Amino acid sequence: MISVNSVTVSFGGYDLFDNVSFLVNPKDRIGLAGKNGAGKSTMLKLLAGLQNPSKGEISKPNDFKIGYLPQDMIHQQGRTVFEETETAYEEMQELEKRLVTVTHELETRTDYESDAYMNLINELTDINNRLEILGVANKEEEIEKILKGLGFSASDFHRSTSEFSGGWRMRIELGKILLRKPDILLLDEPTNHLDIESIQWLEESLQTFAGSVMLISHDRQFLDTVTTRTIEISNNKIYDYKTNYSRYLILRKERREQQENAAKNQQKIIDQTEVLIDKYRAKASKASFAQSLIKKLDRMERVEVDESDNATMFFKFPPPAHSGKIVLTVENAGKEYDGKRIFSGANFILTKGEKIALVGRNGEGKSTMIKMIAKQITYDGLVQHGHSVMMGYFAQDQAEKLDKNKTVFETIDELAVGDIRKQVRTLLGSFLFGGDDIDKKVSVLSGGERGRLALCKLLLEPYNFLVLDEPTNHLDIRSKEILKKAIMDYEGTVILVSHDRDFLDGLVHKLYEFKDGHVNEHLCDINGFMEKLKMNRLSEMNSSKNPFQKAKPDVVKEKPKEDPKNEEREKELKQWKSQLTKCEKEIERLENEIKIFDSKLADPTQYQTVMNDKAAFDNYEKMKKQLESEMKTWEDLQGKLS
């Protein structure tokens, strides 16, 4: 489908990619991995044709359609949400304009028997046939389906795009790309600004998408759900793993350990050889032998160990000051903006040490509630802090609120008081601001760096109540894991908003859902909540399949006089148990064979040989699909036997 052949990309004498090659196959689901600055976004631009390689070539079929969603984009003005989304149908719109022109000409002309008139009739037929192929009859239905999936309500369709934030307008661009039905989707952080329900919808859409997908994401669960192949960019090279992100991390660790062992063994051989060279170099009778050893060392291909990006922020929240048992009381609270009621009747109590999350679709009032708790806005009802509560507040746009004219050091030093002032450099170092980085102006920092600096400010006081609105914005996967652990170890009370399911998993066990103007309590973790959402959506789909179908009258069956032993049931159970045993053996066999192949992929001495064996890869993919099928069969049998 797309072939990357010996591609090199250089910037100012530095090679970002050095002679890399790989194929993107039909229906591939690829996640790009690598540290920040490795070249992931550049790779997407190369494939999208927006940037050319310094050497090599990228080839793709003629009429190959590419859908590219960049991380930052320029948005169009002057249209409604529906009109802007409708521009995805460029060919259809041009045909519809031409259809109006041709129809008008046919209505006004009278040369019915001329060739020109017949040509117009033929063109009209061709246009109508083409419009039918493009699905003109379903256009509005498709647009509505996409927009609702991305979180827009029907009332939003006719609002101007200028009324929406950048995040919502990014959703419009994503919707347009999906409607064009390209052969490949290239997505750079597509979950940015999406709420949990929209992310879940996008996952399902990408899983059923007919073409290929290549994406970059800092959402680990999203990567694991969508991708089945991971291409890591490291050390100017690429490493191809036929698996999802979590499994890739394990294989990468194993590969690096094998490289280190191979490098150590090689170094021993080099050291021993150099000792022999020094020993025999001065002896005339052994000089030729010494020279042959020198040539042998020169010819030896050195084992390369992948560079490891071990830089990671490390911090713990300071021990919190003592607070009362009741940290927060919310009674009949609500908020109204410009006559529009956002939500009302919110009631909950937050006790000391609790960690809870506010969830729900964007625009339902989560951040509004956070601002109410932080006393940033006025509101209805009661929102009251408990005795001796010291609140630390992280706003959703906290990183953007930093003074861009100050340096990193000044930002923290001016807020630090007491003994903490002596530890500012150490504190900044734990957030990856070391050496000259502390003298950088905030204006030149990346989004991730600003996010880390904003988080650093929370460590300047012994807060006992943390109020966090999207604290993982712009953080990479590793930094999010560090933040999650710090919050889990924190002895104080936490209320937070996040759309990152992996971040919330294991962190909170109570959620408050903001939906349709109400606030509902869920005494479960994020996985339980997601399961509820899925069941509710399935229920809604089933109930809306045929709302006009008449209910069938109940058929009263005559109850049998006796209830004999069900021999047929016993026979079925026996068969299912036998099938389950066979299934478990087959699963074990497949897992062992896949594990053997994975170990070959991780072995640098076998990697290239395996990469060139197409038949082996095809069998590997076949085994993975067979394993998925066997697992599904196993689950079905367990369900029947339970």
Side-chain angles (χ1 to χ4, degrees):
M1 183 175 277
I2 297 183
S3 176
V4 178
N5 302 309
S6 303
V7 164
T8 297
V9 174
S10 302
F11 294 108
Y14 169 75
D15 287 343
L16 189 61
F17 304 119
D18 182 18
N19 197 35
V20 301
S21 301
F22 63 90
L23 288 173
V24 180
N25 303 303
K27 297 190 177 180
D28 264 347
R29 299 290 186 269
I30 303 171
L32 284 181
K35 65 181 183 180
N36 289 339
K40 299 188 295 293
S41 293
T42 300
M43 180 58 75
L44 290 190
K45 290 175 184 175
L46 288 169
L47 296 177
L50 300 175
Q51 192 169 318
N52 295 318
S54 307
K55 295 178 185 176
E57 63 175 3
I58 297 173
S59 56
K60 40 189 172 287
N62 294 329
D63 301 324
F64 188 78
K65 290 194 293 184
I66 294 174
Y68 171 58
L69 181 77
Q71 208 173 126
D72 301 303
M73 61 189 69
I74 299 172
H75 301 285
Q76 300 299 319
Q77 305 282 355
R79 297 191 185 103
T80 66
V81 170
F82 195 92
E83 289 168 345
E84 180 60 37
T85 310
E86 196 176 20
T87 61
Y89 295 101
E90 293 165 328
E91 183 184 357
M92 194 182 291
Q93 288 181 322
E94 289 300 317
L95 287 171
E96 286 176 327
K97 287 179 184 176
R98 181 59 186 160
L99 183 66
V100 172
T101 303
V102 171
T103 303
H104 178 70
E105 284 193 47
L106 287 172
E107 288 173 349
T108 55
R109 292 178 66 150
T110 57
D111 53 337
Y112 306 121
E113 296 181 1
S114 68
D115 289 341
Y117 194 85
M118 289 304 297
N119 289 338
L120 286 173
I121 291 176
N122 291 333
E123 185 181 358
L124 182 68
T125 303
D126 291 341
I127 290 172
N128 282 318
N129 288 339
R130 182 60 182 163
L131 285 171
E132 188 175 344
I133 291 170
L134 293 174
V136 67
N138 300 321
K139 180 179 74 172
E140 293 192 0
E141 183 183 340
E142 285 292 312
I143 293 173
E144 183 176 340
K145 179 182 173 183
I146 291 287
L147 287 176
K148 285 187 174 179
L150 288 168
F152 290 94
S153 64
S155 60
D156 292 329
F157 292 176
H158 303 293
R159 291 171 59 191
S160 172
T161 57
S162 60
E163 297 178 35
F164 292 86
S165 66
W168 281 96
R169 294 168 81 175
M170 185 277 289
R171 296 184 191 209
I172 298 172
E173 294 301 319
L174 179 56
K176 286 160 62 177
I177 291 170
L178 293 172
L179 285 167
R180 289 186 184 115
K181 297 177 181 174
D183 297 296
I184 186 170
L185 287 170
L186 304 174
L187 309 176
D188 196 345
E189 292 288 355
T191 60
N192 280 357
H193 312 293
L194 294 185
D195 54 47
I196 286 176
E197 287 189 57
S198 296
I199 291 172
Q200 193 177 43
W201 174 87
L202 181 59
E203 285 176 348
E204 293 169 359
S205 298
L206 293 179
Q207 285 172 325
T208 57
F209 177 65
S212 303
V213 177
M214 181 179 281
L215 60 89
I216 301 166
S217 179
H218 288 155
D219 187 325
R220 181 170 180 157
Q221 190 166 339
F222 180 75
L223 282 169
D224 281 346
T225 303
V226 174
T227 65
T228 55
R229 180 180 170 192
T230 303
I231 293 179
E232 179 193 21
I233 302 173
S234 176
N235 227 8
N236 317 120
K237 296 179 174 62
I238 65 112
Y239 297 90
D240 202 340
Y241 297 82
K242 309 296 181 183
T243 187
N244 65 13
Y245 183 81
S246 290
R247 178 66 180 155
Y248 140 75
L249 291 177
I250 297 169
L251 294 177
R252 183 187 64 171
K253 183 180 178 183
E254 291 174 355
R255 188 191 81 219
R256 197 168 190 283
E257 288 172 354
Q258 289 168 351
Q259 287 176 338
E260 288 174 343
N261 291 333
K264 285 178 184 176
N265 292 333
Q266 188 183 62
Q267 190 59 48
K268 285 180 183 178
I269 295 170
I270 292 170
D271 292 342
Q272 291 168 359
T273 305
E274 287 176 343
V275 168
L276 289 174
I277 291 170
D278 291 340
K279 183 178 179 180
Y280 295 121
R281 192 196 302 264
K283 296 182 180 180
S285 61
K286 299 288 186 180
S288 60
F289 177 60
Q291 285 300 317
S292 67
L293 291 177
I294 291 171
K295 290 178 181 177
K296 180 183 175 182
L297 281 185
D298 290 340
R299 289 194 303 268
M300 184 181 288
E301 188 175 337
R302 297 297 198 266
V303 174
E304 288 189 11
V305 179
D306 296 341
E307 287 183 3
S308 180
D309 181 22
N310 292 318
T312 181
M313 68 178 189
F314 174 79
F315 72 96
K316 289 179 66 175
F317 288 106
H322 177 73
S323 72
K325 187 173 181 179
I326 304 298
V327 174
L328 179 70
T329 302
V330 177
E331 289 183 1
N332 201 31
K335 179 62 181 177
E336 185 177 290
Y337 281 115
D338 299 325
K340 180 184 177 182
R341 175 61 59 179
I342 308 300
F343 67 88
S344 59
N347 291 283
F348 59 90
I349 291 175
L350 190 59
T351 59
K352 183 179 179 180
E354 269 194 303
K355 296 177 177 68
I356 69 166
L358 308 184
V359 296
R361 304 184 80 165
N362 286 339
E364 294 282 359
K366 302 183 301 298
S367 293
T368 299
M369 173 58 81
I370 289 290
K371 290 175 183 175
M372 289 161 57
I373 294 169
K375 307 298 182 184
Q376 300 289 307
I377 57 174
T378 59
Y379 50 85
D380 304 325
L382 175 71
V383 179
Q384 185 175 23
H385 292 182
H387 179 65
S388 300
V389 166
M390 291 179 60
M391 183 190 69
Y393 172 49
F394 184 94
Q396 189 176 135
D397 57 350
Q398 193 78 32
E400 281 69 42
K401 287 182 176 178
L402 296 171
D403 190 335
K404 294 180 176 59
N405 296 316
K406 291 181 180 177
T407 66
V408 169
F409 182 82
E410 290 168 347
T411 300
I412 300 302
D413 186 59
E414 290 181 6
L415 294 173
V417 293
D419 292 340
I420 196 73
R421 290 206 67 179
K422 302 173 185 176
Q423 304 172 34
V424 169
R425 291 180 183 273
T426 303
L427 184 62
L428 286 169
S430 68
F431 282 83
L432 304 184
F433 294 107
D436 296 337
D437 290 340
I438 66 172
D439 296 320
K440 285 182 178 178
K441 292 280 189 183
V442 172
S443 58
V444 303
L445 299 181
S446 68
E449 288 171 328
R450 291 187 193 185
R452 296 200 306 269
L453 185 59
L455 280 172
C456 184
K457 293 170 66 176
L458 287 177
L459 273 64
L460 300 176
E461 296 283 349
Y463 300 117
N464 51 31
F465 180 33
L466 295 179
V467 180
L468 311 174
D469 191 0
E470 293 286 2
T472 62
N473 274 358
H474 305 295
L475 295 184
D476 59 32
I477 292 175
R478 195 183 306 174
S479 296
K480 286 194 281 191
E481 288 171 352
I482 299 296
L483 175 60
K484 177 178 176 178
K485 187 178 186 310
I487 295 175
M488 290 179 75
D489 294 341
Y490 175 60
E491 297 173 3
T493 309
V494 181
I495 185 167
L496 62 89
V497 173
S498 178
H499 298 306
D500 192 313
R501 295 156 297 171
D502 189 62
F503 181 73
L504 293 176
D505 185 21
L507 181 59
V508 297
H509 298 280
K510 185 194 292 185
L511 304 102
Y512 288 92
E513 180 191 17
F514 286 66
K515 185 176 182 181
D516 299 330
H518 302 287
V519 182
N520 305 309
E521 184 182 63
H522 294 270
L523 300 175
C524 60
D525 62 9
I526 187 62
N527 294 320
F529 174 71
M530 294 304 297
E531 193 61 32
K532 286 182 183 179
L533 283 183
K534 190 174 182 179
M535 294 302 294
N536 289 340
R537 192 162 67 250
L538 286 173
S539 177
E540 288 172 5
M541 287 170 63
N542 290 334
S543 64
S544 63
K545 278 183 179 177
N546 192 350
F548 305 106
Q549 186 177 22
K550 293 182 179 179
K552 293 181 180 179
D554 293 334
V555 177
V556 180
K557 294 183 179 179
E558 185 179 350
K559 190 175 181 179
K561 294 179 181 178
E562 293 181 1
D563 188 12
K565 290 183 178 180
N566 194 340
E567 292 181 2
E568 191 65 26
R569 173 65 177 169
E570 290 294 323
K571 187 178 178 181
E572 283 181 341
L573 286 172
K574 192 174 180 180
Q575 289 176 343
W576 291 339
K577 287 177 182 177
S578 175
Q579 291 172 13
L580 186 68
T581 303
K582 290 180 182 178
C583 188
E584 287 173 342
K585 289 180 180 178
E586 184 64 5
I587 287 171
E588 185 178 1
R589 182 187 72 81
L590 289 166
E591 285 180 334
N592 288 335
E593 290 193 21
I594 290 170
K595 186 177 180 180
I596 291 169
F597 197 93
D598 284 341
S599 66
K600 289 180 181 179
L601 281 174
D603 187 348
T605 62
Q606 301 184 61
Y607 180 81
Q608 200 58 48
T609 304
V610 176
M611 281 288 292
N612 294 330
D613 191 346
K614 187 176 185 301
F617 263 124
D618 291 343
N619 186 51
Y620 176 65
E621 291 296 323
K622 185 179 177 181
M623 285 192 297
K624 286 170 66 178
K625 289 178 181 176
Q626 191 178 346
L627 179 60
E628 289 178 12
S629 177
E630 290 291 340
M631 290 296 292
K632 179 69 170 63
T633 303
W634 184 87
E635 289 176 6
D636 292 341
L637 288 169
Q638 283 283 14
K640 290 175 180 178
L641 289 168
S642 61

